[in-house]
Amino acid sequence: MIRDITIGQYYPADSVLHRLDPRVKLFGTLVYMIALFCFKGLLDLGLITVCLIALISLSKVPFRFMVKGLKTIVVLVLITALFNLLFTPGKFVIWSFWKFQITDTGIRNAFLMTLRLIYLILGTSLMTLTTTPNQLTDGLEKALSPLNAVRVPVHAIAMMMSIALRFIPILIEETDKIMKAQMARGADFEHGNLIRRAKNMIPLLVPLIVSAFRRADDLALAMEARCYNGGTGRTKMKPLCYDAKDRRAYLLCVLFLAAVIAARILLPFPQ
Amino acid sequence: MIKMGIIKTEQLVHEFIRRDEDQNVESITTALDHINLDIKEGQFIAILGHNGSGKSTLAKHINALLTASEGTIWVDGMDASKEENKIDVRRRAGMVFQNPDNQIIASVVEEDVGFGPENLGVPTGEIIKRVDESLRAVGMTKYRNHSPNKLSGGQKQRVAIAGVVAMEPKCIVFDEPTAMLDPNGRREVLKTAHALNREKGVTVLFITHYMEEAVDADYIYVMENGKIIMHGEPRTIFSRVDELKAHRLDVPQVTLLADYLKKAGLALPGGILRRRELVKGIVKAGWNAAGLSPAAPEDGKRSRKQEESGENGQDLKPDAIILDHVNYCYSPQTAYQIQALKDVSLRIPQGQFIALIGHTGSGKSTLVQHLNGLLRATSGHIYVDGKDIYDEDYDMRSLRGRIGLVFQYPEHQLFGATCFEDVCFGPKNRGLDQRTVELRAFEALQNVHFPEELYYQPPFDLSGGQKRRAAIAGVLAMKPEVLILDEPTAGLDPAGRDEILELIDGMHRELGITVILVSHSMEDAARYADRIIVMNQGTVMYDDVPKAVFSHYRELEAAGLAAPEMTYIMQELKEQGLSVDVDAESIEEAGMSILEALR
């Protein structure tokens, strides 16, 4: 169940997307998100769909993996779709009951919102599946390094992020184990009202927190033993530097955004 | 100045001072008590001792992670207590820790290996070169782009070692690197440490509580209560068997048997370390071994087990659990699909002591989680007391009360404010009244011999062994008819391990509980179990009395398991033409049989 989250799970493969500089991918994801929330019309939709499909096939990540990430947001998508469907006022009312009404605009909005959310998850998963968490934090660290000037500890934040990413799967596994161990002692995590259930979580949360602290302690010691001393004087094993393909990718991102905006202005129909 | 060794300590003292909220000293524990060491470059040093003997504290001093209360420690001629030497000391003396998960920083193997050199400010090209070389040195090049989460314990430790090697230290301290590993993982790590010592000339300090890992060391230190109580070459140390036993160290079976035979008058050389030496020694000594009398067995424990298992073999009690063609598949229809159990059928009668053996990934943990319904078989049936637990109206929660499952590292599930409260959790969940709950908790704590003064202490401050007792009591308080323990001795030192095993054996005998002990260790199985079930790749490979299982020692080896050391010794002696009893399990049995054969 909780094991199915794809976000933050790197899929090792050798593709153009895997080799791109993480900063390009971050930028690309940003552009993609902007495009998703400002597109209008079938042409735009087609453009984005074609790009997404092209990128997914370029990434060499099996489509199943991306769909797995979607499973976790099914509920969210359904709720959003339902709200849009039932509460949007519009010209033609197809069906109405008490405060609910289904209109043509409602149907369209529900459809678009669902599509947006699915595309959003697919696109961002694509980035995290092709970028190791460390590359990602490296990318963020470098991209945000101007913030150092205003005393934001960018290096420390990046380090914390990469450690968090490393330990998420371990802690998930541990949660699973403790849960089973308490169930073996007759614990019940599924029944009862909200308060009861929250109370029943104590036998799970206390050992989990204790273990997290123990791990943090161990890790801090191990890092110190390997001469970690903060960001100063560090070199990089894989320093980020752009090459020709990264520049081309930047260009493509900009072109993509321009095309989406152009299509929005020139051909916003049918909405 | 005379050239000093790479690590030298002089009257090194370390005290852990506990203070209360007002900074008043509550208690002082002397972890290191005037330690004097002088370790030459290029040596392989083993440091033996129990948990709490101070060996890990010593390791942290060598790495400048702790500062001495008194005395001095020099690493490669530098005073490690000086703040300005810290980084230099750490780059010369690297350290590998016990827990393989908690020392890997990056999410990709090669990036983790590069972490140390990055911290040292090594130029990029050079880092890549060092990472390549380090991964090659530990044999992990193939996994360089893998995520550490998908590796085995032994492989993770090798990654951690590579991470230290990449810093090009002169000396590496291994702080119990094998304590949390299975036998295969232990061998991998030990082999890697020796290879580094031999091929790269790295000085190795190998801290462990397993004596057999010290056999190939150049020099051994034995620590207890913060002091060095014995030191010398392996041969000298291993010949002092009685002393080692008195310090409750885990003397290898070869050495014990040699000691037994020597005491019976056989002319063996002192300090035998390896099987081959012993076999050769016995054959040679055999020529003039007339008129020897075997010493009386030391205790009657072993013969008792034999009698009992004989009885059990005669009239089988009713089956507590029956497994009927059980299959189980993890993450079906995904890339990670694993068939963990394949067509497993078993009968488990009441009152047996069963050892379930298999290497990591053989399906043994998956199997036991089926027995109390935590995992549901993909196909097949499980009957408990004749009822199918997959029937719709079956009460799963009462099943979990009747079949108690103690997980690996059970102390990680403790959560109560006091040990007593924690033990009450299980019976409380069964909906019993307060009085019965407390009664059961008391009984359970007494049954695991938990010291009474600790009943109302928070469980988190206890020693590893005590925590484990409390956790076992937590399951025992449910009054299970069947008690399943998943590697209950993992991570304990030999003394703690023996105590827990004795405890389980006691509960089996006195409370009549059916016990299923999941373990890697054939030695433990040989000592306690009436029946051994060997799992391999999700199937039952053997299911028989210990002697019968061990006779397949060659097949066991092919499956990544080993028969007890004793089986090998006896088999080799037989090949040498001695008519010994190859089924002998204990030292006494084997010793007597050898003396008999020589006469």
Side-chain angles (χ1 to χ4, degrees):
Chain A
M1 174 180 64
I2 23 182
R3 284 162 184 267
D4 289 340
I5 302 172
T6 351
I7 293 172
Q9 291 281 26
Y10 176 66
Y11 182 88
D14 187 32
S15 77
V16 190
L17 280 188
H18 283 78
R19 285 192 301 266
L20 273 185
D21 189 290
R23 285 169 292 176
V24 183
K25 283 187 264 189
L26 280 169
F27 179 73
T29 312
L30 189 69
V31 163
Y32 174 76
M33 274 153 72
I34 294 171
L36 265 189
F37 282 92
C38 74
F39 82 80
K40 247 184 192 170
L42 270 182
L43 185 62
D44 257 353
L45 183 63
L47 193 64
I48 293 174
T49 312
V50 168
C51 278
L52 187 63
I53 292 173
L55 286 176
I56 288 175
S57 55
L58 264 182
S59 74
K60 295 185 187 164
V61 179
F63 192 62
R64 300 181 276 131
F65 276 85
M66 312 214 172
V67 179
K68 253 170 75 190
L70 283 179
K71 272 191 215 154
T72 52
I73 58 146
V74 163
V75 182
L76 181 72
V77 170
L78 283 180
I79 292 173
T80 330
L82 213 63
F83 266 72
N84 272 305
L85 193 63
L86 295 177
F87 295 109
T88 320
K91 254 186 257 162
F92 303 103
V93 178
I94 295 161
W95 177 84
S96 86
F97 170 75
W98 191 41
K99 279 179 183 159
F100 307 119
Q101 52 177 349
I102 294 181
T103 64
D104 58 335
T105 338
I107 293 176
R108 204 192 52 226
N109 279 5
F111 173 71
L112 283 180
M113 215 47 206
T114 311
L115 212 60
R116 273 194 177 120
L117 278 172
I118 291 175
Y119 276 28
L120 185 68
I121 294 293
L122 285 179
T124 43
S125 296
L126 192 60
M127 180 184 68
T128 48
L129 281 163
T130 58
T131 320
T132 67
N134 259 35
Q135 284 173 348
L136 200 62
T137 42
D138 267 4
L140 277 176
E141 187 180 351
K142 198 103 183 229
L144 299 180
S145 57
L147 289 178
N148 262 327
V150 285
R151 297 253 184 118
V152 178
V154 177
H155 170 76
I157 293 172
M159 186 51 93
M160 282 196 293
M161 269 177 59
S162 70
I163 290 172
L165 285 167
R166 150 105 178 92
F167 278 87
I168 284 171
I170 295 177
L171 288 176
I172 287 177
E173 215 165 279
E174 184 137 16
T175 312
D176 194 53
K177 228 183 84 185
I178 297 173
M179 223 161 154
K180 274 186 181 162
Q182 305 298 30
M183 273 159 79
R185 292 209 280 164
D188 184 359
F189 296 110
E190 275 142 23
H191 299 99
N193 59 30
L194 206 63
I195 297 167
R196 219 190 135 65
R197 261 205 254 183
K199 230 177 123 187
N200 286 351
M201 291 304 264
I202 293 173
L204 173 63
L205 291 178
V206 172
L208 201 61
I209 290 167
V210 169
S211 135
F213 272 101
R214 196 186 48 238
R215 286 184 193 280
D217 238 15
D218 280 5
L219 189 71
L221 212 58
M223 286 171 75
E224 251 192 276
R226 280 161 80 180
C227 298
Y228 181 69
N229 214 351
T232 43
R234 273 191 108 216
T235 46
K236 288 267 174 203
M237 176 179 172
K238 299 173 183 167
L240 297 175
C241 48
Y242 293 124
D243 59 17
K245 70 175 178 310
D246 295 315
R247 280 187 281 275
R248 269 197 302 265
Y250 267 126
L251 193 66
L252 282 174
C253 287
V254 175
L255 282 178
F256 169 71
L257 188 62
V260 169
I261 292 172
R264 178 195 157 95
I265 295 165
L266 298 175
L267 254 177
F269 303 103
Q271 266 209 337
Chain B
M1 205 169 86
I2 315 159
K3 192 181 177 318
M4 62 167 86
I6 180 140
I7 293 160
K8 186 178 162 66
T9 69
E10 216 172 77
Q11 303 293 327
L12 189 69
V13 175
H14 190 89
E15 287 171 339
F16 285 108
I17 301 169
R18 250 180 104 127
R19 290 172 199 277
D20 60 13
E21 280 135 29
D22 304 324
Q23 297 298 304
N24 298 316
V25 175
E26 250 183 5
S27 66
I28 299 177
T29 321
T30 310
L32 294 178
D33 194 356
H34 298 93
I35 300 280
N36 292 306
L37 277 179
D38 194 357
I39 290 165
K40 301 265 167 311
E41 213 171 327
Q43 279 195 314
F44 191 105
I45 306 287
I47 299 179
L48 287 169
H50 290 304
N51 290 340
S53 61
K55 47 194 199 324
S56 289
T57 312
L58 178 65
K60 283 177 192 144
H61 276 277
I62 297 170
N63 205 250
L65 292 170
L66 289 174
T67 316
S69 311
E70 271 173 53
T72 325
I73 172 162
W74 292 273
V75 174
D76 203 19
M78 289 177 295
D79 185 343
S81 61
K82 295 223 170 70
E83 189 64 36
E84 68 267 23
N85 286 341
K86 241 173 207 171
I87 294 290
D88 276 326
V89 165
R90 282 179 195 157
R91 75 195 295 174
R92 270 172 233 197
M95 184 138 156
V96 177
F97 294 85
Q98 186 188 92
N99 189 321
D101 273 320
N102 296 357
Q103 54 182 321
I104 295 179
I105 289 114
S107 307
V108 178
V109 166
E110 61 174 356
E111 286 175 21
D112 187 74
V113 177
F115 181 74
E118 282 182 344
N119 291 335
L120 296 174
V122 176
T124 301
E126 169 80 12
I127 297 183
I128 306 256
K129 224 177 80 199
R130 284 196 191 184
V131 169
D132 286 343
E133 211 170 288
S134 314
L135 282 171
R136 200 174 325 121
V138 301
M140 287 294 289
T141 310
K142 218 168 77 190
Y143 298 92
R144 63 181 305 157
N145 290 317
H146 282 231
S147 152
N149 291 332
K150 302 254 151 70
L151 302 179
S152 74
Q155 288 172 331
K156 281 184 210 165
Q157 280 307 48
R158 272 150 67 196
V159 171
I161 295 171
V164 173
V165 172
M167 295 167 71
E168 302 191 336
K170 283 187 166 179
C171 160
I172 302 180
V173 183
F174 292 80
D175 188 8
E176 294 186 32
T178 56
M180 296 178 77
L181 303 181
D182 64 4
N184 285 336
R186 267 195 242 162
R187 264 195 297 275
E188 277 172 44
V189 169
L190 190 66
K191 224 176 88 191
T192 311
H194 274 292
L196 289 175
N197 175 250
R198 218 174 27 242
E199 282 151 29
K200 295 196 169 234
V202 180
T203 314
V204 171
L205 254 85
F206 202 89
I207 299 176
T208 176
H209 37 230
Y210 301 109
M211 271 193 79
E212 69 260 26
E213 289 176 1
V215 166
D216 292 314
D218 294 318
Y219 205 79
I220 297 177
Y221 291 94
V222 181
M223 287 188 70
E224 196 170 283
N225 293 331
K227 291 194 185 77
I228 291 172
I229 49 163
M230 291 165 90
H231 62 101
E233 285 171 13
R235 221 165 274 283
T236 336
I237 297 281
F238 278 61
S239 62
R240 291 152 74 180
V241 172
D242 291 330
E243 249 176 284
L244 292 167
K245 267 193 192 160
H247 292 297
R248 304 191 65 193
L249 279 163
D250 182 38
V251 187
Q253 301 236 297
V254 178
T255 313
L256 284 177
L257 183 59
D259 184 59
Y260 177 91
L261 293 170
K262 244 176 106 173
K263 282 186 182 143
L266 204 65
L268 287 172
I272 283 183
L273 305 172
R274 294 176 191 87
R275 195 160 74 217
R276 205 176 313 133
E277 283 173 54
L278 177 66
V279 172
K280 232 164 137 186
I282 291 173
V283 173
K284 209 170 141 197
W287 300 116
N288 35 29
L292 293 172
S293 61
E298 276 176 26
D299 50 278
K301 201 166 56 203
R302 274 143 199 151
S303 39
R304 176 207 56 81
K305 202 199 83 190
Q306 241 75 51
E307 284 158 24
E308 237 173 54
S309 61
E311 266 170 39
N312 280 352
Q314 295 303 312
D315 57 312
L316 277 178
K317 296 200 177 129
D319 289 323
I321 306 173
I322 298 173
L323 280 85
D324 183 22
H325 300 284
V326 170
N327 282 289
Y328 185 74
C329 194
Y330 276 109
S331 340
Q333 279 131 39
T334 66
Y336 303 116
Q337 175 170 338
I338 299 164
Q339 177 93 27
L341 293 179
K342 285 176 215 150
D343 202 31
V344 175
S345 294
L346 285 173
R347 322 182 75 124
I348 296 165
Q350 285 168 14
Q352 263 192 343
F353 193 128
I354 299 174
L356 186 60
I357 304 253
H359 61 82
T360 313
S362 61
K364 53 192 195 323
S365 294
T366 309
L367 179 65
V368 293
Q369 287 181 34
H370 277 81
L371 302 183
N372 71 349
L374 281 174
L375 289 177
R376 198 192 163 96
T378 325
S379 70
H381 293 276
I382 295 173
Y383 303 92
V384 175
D385 292 335
K387 289 201 189 88
D388 189 336
I389 64 165
Y390 295 144
D391 275 349
E392 253 171 58
D393 55 349
Y394 195 85
D395 183 1
M396 264 315 173
R397 285 178 74 187
S398 92
L399 172 70
R400 288 183 190 147
R402 279 159 55 194
I403 298 180
L405 174 53
V406 180
F407 275 82
Q408 216 177 347
Y409 299 102
E411 59 274 22
H412 290 179
Q413 69 195 17
L414 295 174
F415 70 95
T418 68
C419 294
F420 187 75
E421 198 188 308
D422 202 280
V423 176
C424 286
F425 181 66
K428 218 189 237 163
N429 283 329
R430 298 203 67 182
L432 302 166
D433 63 274
Q434 190 62 22
R435 222 180 94 80
T436 323
V437 167
E438 286 182 9
L439 220 67
R440 282 207 181 180
F442 265 117
E443 212 179 308
L445 282 166
Q446 255 160 18
N447 279 329
V448 299
H449 308 300
F450 194 73
E452 247 166 80
E453 64 273 16
L454 298 178
Y455 279 20
Y456 299 102
Q457 294 291 317
F460 308 108
D461 295 343
L462 306 176
S463 74
Q466 298 293 22
K467 271 191 211 170
R468 194 154 296 183
R469 272 166 204 264
I472 293 176
V475 173
L476 208 58
M478 318 255 301
K479 289 220 169 165
E481 293 149 32
V482 180
L483 184 64
I484 307 167
L485 302 111
D486 194 353
E487 295 185 32
T489 59
L492 295 179
D493 61 13
R497 181 194 65 199
D498 289 348
E499 279 171 23
I500 292 287
L501 286 172
E502 285 297 326
L503 185 75
I504 296 166
D505 190 44
M507 291 191 296
H508 167 66
R509 256 178 302 142
E510 286 150 28
L511 308 178
I513 299 181
T514 311
V515 173
I516 301 177
L517 177 76
V518 181
S519 172
H520 295 302
S521 161
M522 285 288 183
E523 265 88 9
D524 295 349
R527 241 168 93 190
Y528 297 100
D530 310 320
R531 168 181 170 193
I532 294 182
I533 299 171
V534 180
M535 295 284 296
N536 187 31
Q537 294 176 347
T539 56
V540 175
M541 191 181 180
Y542 296 112
D543 177 7
D544 216 327
V545 293
K547 283 176 202 235
V549 170
F550 298 150
S551 67
H552 301 286
Y553 67 105
R554 282 183 214 278
E555 288 88 346
L556 288 174
E557 218 166 291
L561 293 162
E565 188 68 17
M566 205 52 75
T567 309
Y568 289 103
I569 299 171
M570 300 311 259
Q571 290 287 358
E572 279 182 27
L573 282 171
K574 202 174 177 190
E575 278 162 28
Q576 295 287 328
L578 278 175
S579 60
V580 290
D581 172 19
V582 288
D583 291 336
E585 282 167 18
S586 68
I587 307 288
E588 288 79 18
E589 272 177 44
M592 279 194 272
S593 156
I594 291 169
L595 294 174
E596 200 76 29
L598 288 176
R599 202 174 295 138

